[in-house]
Amino acid sequence: MIVKKTEQPRRKPTAAKRGRVGSLRSIGVIRSGLKTRKEAPKQGAEGAPEAWLEVRAFAGPALDGLAEGDDIIVLTWLHQARRDVLKVHPRGDKSNPLTGVFATRSPDRPNPVGLHRVTVRQIGKNRLLISPIEAIDGTPVVDIKPVLSGVADF
Amino acid sequence: MIVKKTEQPRRKPTAAKRGRVGSLRSIGVIRSGLKTRKEAPKQGAEGAPEAWLEVRAFAGPALDGLAEGDDIIVLTWLHQARRDVLKVHPRGDKSNPLTGVFATRSPDRPNPVGLHRVTVRQIGKNRLLISPIEAIDGTPVVDIKPVLSGVADF
């Protein structure tokens, strides 16, 4: 039995919390030799390694149609990021002026979703070998999308 | 007073629900002349209009550093999408073979996060005029990221 304490005023939700729109579910996880944020490059193109993207069993059928050599976009949940940061010194360099996080690729932001353009190197049962990927070991994956056409920098 | 019915067995969570990793909060909303999925083009490059991205007050400071003419990536929460779909006929065309959603850009997918590359046309107080954007009016926005360099198709 749970007794609701009506005597206590409920804590007023913060502005950020009031706008909840949905829950992300892990569809997989990154298995990488990178174990900490400190050792990870800031972007994939800055010397990031390859890693396995292990897809959870329920989501395996959603991989059908992907092939080795495909360029894909992986969306991750940057689980070690801070969500209360609105401005940063870009690249963690204090000599760069404070900048809004929406004008940077800082992992610290209201919704820490990571965006990684990678190539599929190998396909196994419910897993993809991808590179280059700067996400650290254990990072949850929330979506995979094909690159639509051409060569993209982002 | 809330009485917890311990007599009833709790419903076993589905595999998809067990992997919850985080809640997305709206940082803004799309204000567009497109009112329904039916009238929206499937991709921005397919004739999508411009729209206002209204940013919530708490997130306004995170815009500092963005400028008119910038290419940005907008992540949305496709609130009308289905989350239980793992395979689709691409582009809704039954003559296309069933394909895993991770090999398509279908809005229906386990985590319906929309990815839109757009250009900033105009900047107002806590809002950006952007184009081209196929997201419909009322679509929650969850993140904005700068395009890193060059010209991208995705």
Side-chain angles (χ1 to χ4, degrees), chain A:
Chain A
M1 197 170 76
I2 295 167
V3 179
K4 200 171 174 184
K5 294 182 185 168
T6 47
E7 307 84 352
Q8 280 191 344
R10 290 180 64 189
R11 191 186 291 180
K12 200 176 167 189
T14 64
K17 280 189 180 156
R18 274 201 299 270
R20 190 164 293 187
V21 289
S23 269
L24 292 177
R25 304 162 186 168
S26 157
I27 63 97
V29 67
I30 298 294
R31 295 297 178 204
S32 173
L34 294 174
K35 302 299 181 190
T36 66
R37 270 181 75 165
K38 203 176 167 183
E39 65 189 301
K42 294 200 186 301
Q43 298 298 330
E46 298 173 14
E50 61 184 22
W52 283 100
L53 192 176
E54 290 182 4
V55 173
R56 295 175 61 208
F58 89 90
L63 295 173
D64 284 6
L66 290 176
E68 290 174 14
D70 282 357
D71 287 335
I72 57 172
I73 294 162
V74 174
L75 298 183
T76 57
W77 181 251
L78 302 170
H79 58 307
Q80 295 192 1
R82 290 179 57 185
R83 305 189 62 170
D84 57 349
V85 173
L86 295 175
K87 293 200 175 193
V88 294
H89 296 283
R91 301 187 65 83
D93 181 344
K94 289 245 168 25
S95 69
N96 289 327
L98 269 178
T99 305
V101 291
F102 295 156
T104 83
R105 296 295 281 262
S106 168
D108 301 319
R109 53 206 308 118
N111 292 299
V113 174
L115 176 62
H116 319 267
R117 187 192 157 120
V118 302
T119 302
V120 177
R121 304 296 177 187
Q122 195 180 319
I123 299 184
K125 180 171 165 52
N126 288 354
R127 60 185 200 152
L128 309 173
L129 184 66
I130 56 175
S131 74
I133 178 92
E134 75 281 15
I136 64 174
D137 188 58
T139 301
V141 175
V142 296
D143 202 9
I144 299 169
K145 297 180 192 293
V147 171
L148 286 180
S149 63
V151 175
D153 298 319
F154 61 92

Side-chain angles (χ1 to χ4, degrees), chain B residues 26-49:
Chain B
S26 158
I27 61 97
V29 66
I30 298 294
R31 295 297 178 202
S32 173
L34 294 174
K35 303 299 182 190
T36 65
R37 271 181 74 165
K38 202 175 168 184
E39 63 188 303
K42 293 200 187 302
Q43 298 298 330
E46 297 173 15

